[in-house]
């Protein structure tokens, strides 16, 4: 079963195919090692200032849905869409590493039989 990818943008961010393809490639590349553990990735890109320019006005929120787990969401903020997506993808990779690493640590082998 392959991981689904969904890209969403508001009207103030250029939602051209090129932007969507670039960001999808960037996010998929960064999260590739978790792909078999995720059912879906959703990326939401917004420009909070619209036509007004300002620092960190591009927001990229990534929501990952682990198989059998609760959704995980992170947001990256930057002056450019690609930078915001890169920040969010890096943060998501760190978060997934912690979540999946914690699950691995709590998966214990059965206790050996005790001899008295």
């Amino acid at each position: 079963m392959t991981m689904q990818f969904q890209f969403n943008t508001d009207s103030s961010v250029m939602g051209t195919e090129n932007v969507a393809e670039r960001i999808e490639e960037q996010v998929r590349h960064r999260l590739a090692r978790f792909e078999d553990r995720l059912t879906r990735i959703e990326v939401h890109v917004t420009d909070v200032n619209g036509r007004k320019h300002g620092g960190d006005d591009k927001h990229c929120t990534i929501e990952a849905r682990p198989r059998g787990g609760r959704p995980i969401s992170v947001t990256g903020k930057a002056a450019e869409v690609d930078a915001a997506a890169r920040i969010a993808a890096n943060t998501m990779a760190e978060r997934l590493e912690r979540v999946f690493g914690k699950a691995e640590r709590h998966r214990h082998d059965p206790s050996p039989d005790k001899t008295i």
Side-chain angles (χ1 to χ4, degrees):
M1 190 170 191
T2 61
M3 177 183 73
Q4 294 179 346
F5 190 96
Q6 184 175 342
F7 180 81
N8 301 296
T9 183
D10 65 9
S11 60
S12 63
V13 177
M14 292 184 350
T16 65
E17 214 42 52
N18 190 21
V19 171
E21 286 176 8
R22 265 195 339 259
I23 290 176
E24 179 175 354
E25 182 179 332
Q26 183 176 323
V27 172
R28 278 188 183 273
H29 176 74
R30 186 65 177 102
L31 303 179
R33 65 183 170 178
F34 305 108
E35 193 165 339
D36 61 334
R37 296 177 170 190
L38 302 173
T39 59
R40 180 184 185 106
I41 294 284
E42 289 187 33
V43 176
H44 303 273
V45 178
T46 58
D47 183 342
V48 295
N49 289 342
R51 292 184 185 176
K52 295 181 262 175
H53 296 289
D56 295 351
D57 64 336
K58 307 296 188 289
H59 292 193
C60 178
T61 300
I62 299 176
E63 182 178 288
R65 299 185 183 204
R67 293 186 194 285
R70 296 181 11 196
I72 300 167
S73 182
V74 299
T75 300
K77 300 174 185 176
E80 297 177 359
V81 173
D82 290 80
R86 186 171 45 257
I87 291 166
N90 287 337
T91 304
M92 180 59 77
E94 292 169 3
R95 180 83 55 89
L96 290 172
E97 188 66 49
R98 281 196 309 272
V99 167
F100 293 139
K102 189 178 288 185
E104 289 297 317
R105 285 191 301 277
H106 290 287
R107 200 178 290 166
H108 298 290
D109 291 330
S111 299
D113 292 334
K114 293 182 181 179
T115 56
I116 300 178

